[in-house]
Amino acid sequence: ARQSAAPDLDLEVKYNALKPFHIALGLYAVTLLLCAVAALRPGLLPRGPIWWTMAAGFLFHAGGIGARIGILERPPVGTLYESALFVSAVCVLLALLTTGRTRAIPILLTGSASAVLLLSCAPFLLQQGESMEMLVAVLNTNFWLATHVLCITAGYGVSVMTACLAQVWLFFKTFRKPRPDLTLPLAATIEGLAMAALLFTAVGTILGGIWADQSWGRFWGWDPKENGALLIVLWIVWLQHGRVSGRLTQPLYMAALAALTIIVALAWFGVNLLSVGLHSYGFTSGIAAALAVFCSTQAVIIGTLLYCRKGGTA
């Protein structure tokens, strides 16, 4: 028993000494600064160094998540704190993978900004200051943690990246000179990410229903957490229907996609404030004011971008 526990203990000591998420946060902050310089002074900084700086941050980020998997001997997401670590990693990975489809700076800036915000907020989600807490019995199953939880959390990450890029698209359409070489590929990237977000959240919601049927004897019970996941799916489906049918103009479609930040925040954190339902392991407190400020700020930003755009919503 000692021999089997020794490697985990050694790994935990190295993990605590290295603090990989702090290093990743620092590298993402540097990436964000470099992106800001490149955006203000086009041509001053090439894409390569910025991309590699973010990639280096992702290596520490992924290494930290991998270390936690080895230490805890379970999949990487079981708490709200871990979900913030995972969602931020998804945002960075998407930014690194999609930079080849369009001009890199807006995407790298969006990915690094999302990661900086989420990693900065993650410590405030810790329960009693412990980042490696034991899971309650209903969560103590590696199969469902590795399928439903990872799938739905990845859906959060793809949704966040989609929404943030939609806000960037609105910004360029509102305050910049027309740049079809930038906005058209960016719009295509956003559309692809929106469909990926729908896939992950829909499959994750279905897997969650199967898990609920095995654990509680019912597939669906209108639990607040279940409703939150369904809300994301229905929102994206509604937007795709509006886009295909021509009921939503492109600016309105992008503005509604940008509002996914609010939908995800309510599904991810908002339902936990209700303290009702069988998903009691997700309850948290002390974030109501911050959540209200975030949602209100996002609504103001999106509304302002849409209102200020020349030609209104046409």
Side-chain angles (χ1 to χ4, degrees):
R2 290 182 180 179
Q3 290 180 351
S4 61
D8 293 342
L9 179 59
D10 184 57
L11 180 60
E12 185 172 358
V13 170
K14 293 179 179 178
Y15 168 85
N16 291 325
L18 183 61
K19 299 186 184 303
F21 298 118
H22 290 181
I23 298 175
L25 178 59
L27 289 170
Y28 294 150
V30 172
T31 303
L32 183 59
L33 178 61
L34 293 177
C35 287
V37 172
L40 294 174
R41 299 290 299 275
L44 182 62
L45 289 175
R47 183 186 71 173
I50 301 176
W51 192 93
W52 282 110
T53 302
M54 175 178 275
F58 180 75
L59 288 178
F60 281 99
H61 198 156
I65 292 176
R68 292 180 63 87
I69 294 174
I71 295 168
L72 298 172
E73 298 182 345
R74 61 171 171 80
V77 181
T79 65
L80 283 175
Y81 170 76
E82 291 172 344
S83 70
L85 300 180
F86 190 78
V87 169
S88 57
V90 170
C91 290
V92 173
L93 181 61
L94 289 173
L96 292 172
L97 293 178
T98 57
T99 49
R101 297 192 59 185
T102 183
R103 291 181 179 269
I105 299 304
I107 296 179
L108 292 176
L109 188 148
T110 302
S112 58
S114 301
V116 167
L117 177 62
L118 288 170
L119 286 181
S120 298
C121 293
F124 296 99
L125 301 175
L126 290 174
Q127 299 295 319
Q128 300 178 348
E130 175 57 53
S131 69
M132 296 188 184
E133 59 188 277
M134 295 294 295
L135 299 182
V136 296
V138 70
L139 280 178
N140 194 19
T141 164
N142 284 347
F143 175 77
W144 290 114
L145 284 176
T147 53
H148 161 65
V149 175
L150 286 189
C151 192
I152 201 73
T153 309
Y156 290 162
V158 183
S159 297
V160 167
M161 194 64 180
T162 302
C164 292
L165 285 177
Q167 293 184 36
V168 171
W169 185 93
L170 286 171
F171 175 83
F172 277 107
K173 281 288 188 178
T174 303
F175 297 112
R176 295 284 183 175
K177 295 180 180 180
R179 291 282 303 277
D181 64 318
L182 175 61
T183 56
L184 290 180
L186 188 59
T189 299
I190 293 169
E191 179 58 32
L193 289 176
M195 297 307 296
L198 176 59
L199 174 64
F200 278 109
T201 51
V203 173
T205 301
I206 294 171
L207 289 174
I210 298 173
W211 187 6
D213 183 57
Q214 292 188 1
S215 298
W216 301 319
R218 87 310 185 263
F219 180 85
W220 193 266
W222 300 107
D223 187 281
K225 200 71 174 177
E226 297 168 348
N227 294 340
L230 181 62
L231 180 61
I232 300 175
V233 175
L234 293 178
W235 186 265
I236 301 176
V237 168
W238 169 68
L239 293 183
Q240 297 306 318
H241 176 73
R243 178 184 63 85
V244 173
S245 65
R247 298 291 183 177
L248 290 176
T249 61
Q250 191 174 33
L252 281 175
Y253 172 71
M254 287 296 181
L257 273 182
L260 264 176
T261 52
I262 300 174
I263 303 299
V264 171
L266 294 176
W268 190 0
F269 300 108
V271 295
N272 295 332
L273 298 173
L274 299 177
S275 296
V276 295
L278 293 174
H279 292 77
S280 57
Y281 54 84
F283 294 165
T284 187
S285 60
I287 65 170
L291 184 63
V293 170
F294 173 79
C295 293
S296 300
T297 302
Q298 284 290 286
V300 169
I301 291 173
I302 296 168
T304 301
L305 289 173
L306 191 61
Y307 177 79
C308 293
R309 183 179 179 275
K310 293 181 179 180
T313 59

